[in-house]
Amino acid sequence: DAKTTQPNSMESNEEEPVHLPCNHSTISGTDYIHWYRQLPSQGPEYVIHGLTSNVNNRMASLAIAEDRKSSTLILHRATLRDAAVYYCILQGAQKLVFGQGTRLTINP
Amino acid sequence: GAVVSQHPSRVICKSGTSVKIECRSLDFQATTMFWYRQFPKQSLMLMATSNEGSKATYEQGVEKDKFLINHASLTLSTLTVTSAHPEDSSFYICSARDLGGYTEAFFGQGTRLTVV
């Protein structure tokens, strides 16, 4: 399974944008880039996914590098409810294998 | 998004007994379901992949006789922890994929198992 690398933790302030990076230098041409987040004591929640082009939805934006070896999840205005562990996952085959993720702390 | 319901959310059982956890996709058909376990402060570890009507595929190091997985229908998969021991205490999470396979996965709310 292709591997992703994320910072262990990040901190931001409420109502400010947050950029969460992910490196995936061994990505293959058919791998989708998925982002999930997990709040304490809950199952993960889907955030966004993309293949080559940048993507936007109501939760976030996903910026994918031209060579696809890295991507950035963008939360445009962080709220306290965005505090979670964010996982960047490459999905080629059926299964999703989670890395360590980035623990995002939001300061009021 | 689609809903995956996992039951129970919390269970305490005695050492040596078996516990069954159910995972249901409520508004879509899931040909494939995944079972994960998660220890405190750690990431999710994939235990097995189950496809409807066939045997589950277990990840390396996961005992298939201890963690019995049944995926009898397109909306229900079960995980039975047999002869549970305190070291099996963990947070178990199921995930389901819609037909077609390359869409996002939906997760249950998790089951906190405590073996005493």
Side-chain angles (χ1 to χ4, degrees):
Chain A
D1 303 304
K3 194 176 164 75
T4 62
T5 305
Q6 299 176 252
N8 288 334
S9 62
M10 289 185 67
E11 202 170 320
S12 184
N13 297 319
E14 205 174 3
E15 300 197 0
E16 289 185 358
V18 180
H19 290 230
L20 296 165
C22 181
N23 287 320
H24 29 78
S25 57
T26 58
I27 190 171
S28 74
T30 55
D31 285 340
Y32 281 78
I33 301 160
H34 282 238
W35 284 81
Y36 292 82
R37 71 181 187 182
Q38 186 180 24
L39 279 65
S41 298
Q42 294 187 27
E45 172 189 30
Y46 167 78
V47 178
I48 200 167
H49 76 280
L51 184 61
T52 56
S53 304
N54 294 343
V55 184
N56 299 298
N57 67 20
R58 63 174 182 80
M59 288 181 72
S61 295
L62 177 60
I64 301 172
E66 201 169 324
D67 63 6
R68 301 209 326 126
K69 293 187 176 181
S70 65
S71 61
T72 302
L73 179 71
I74 303 165
L75 306 179
H76 296 284
R77 283 187 70 190
T79 69
L80 295 177
R81 287 174 294 184
D82 291 322
V85 179
Y86 286 78
Y87 296 98
C88 166
I89 302 170
L90 300 184
Q91 184 171 316
Q94 286 189 326
K95 61 186 181 182
L96 292 179
V97 177
F98 285 74
Q100 290 306 307
T102 297
R103 183 174 300 277
L104 176 64
T105 301
I106 304 296
N107 299 315
Chain B
V3 177
V4 174
S5 175
Q6 192 173 335
H7 179 81
S9 58
R10 189 178 294 269
V11 59
I12 300 172
C13 72
K14 290 186 177 178
S15 195
T17 61
S18 296
V19 173
K20 181 184 283 189
I21 302 169
E22 289 189 352
C23 180
R24 293 181 184 273
S25 56
L26 296 186
D27 50 2
F28 68 100
Q29 293 183 322
T31 51
T32 305
M33 288 188 173
F34 306 91
W35 288 94
Y36 297 83
R37 66 189 295 183
Q38 185 176 33
F39 293 108
K41 306 284 188 192
Q42 293 187 24
S43 184
L44 285 77
M45 185 194 81
L46 180 65
M47 299 174 67
T49 303
S50 80
N51 292 296
E52 184 263 337
S54 62
K55 287 185 180 178
T57 303
Y58 290 81
E59 296 297 304
Q60 193 171 7
V62 177
E63 298 174 59
K64 61 181 175 153
D65 294 329
K66 180 167 186 61
F67 299 100
L68 302 179
I69 292 172
N70 183 279
H71 191 166
S73 76
L74 284 172
T75 60
L76 173 64
S77 176
T78 59
L79 167 68
T80 301
V81 182
T82 63
S83 187
H85 290 285
E87 56 265 31
D88 298 324
S89 298
S90 188
F91 192 51
Y92 292 87
I93 305 167
C94 71
S95 171
R97 300 283 301 281
D98 203 343
L99 291 175
Y102 278 73
T103 57
E104 62 266 34
F106 300 98
F107 290 82
Q109 67 269 43
T111 297
R112 174 80 55 198
L113 170 63
T114 303
V115 185
V116 298

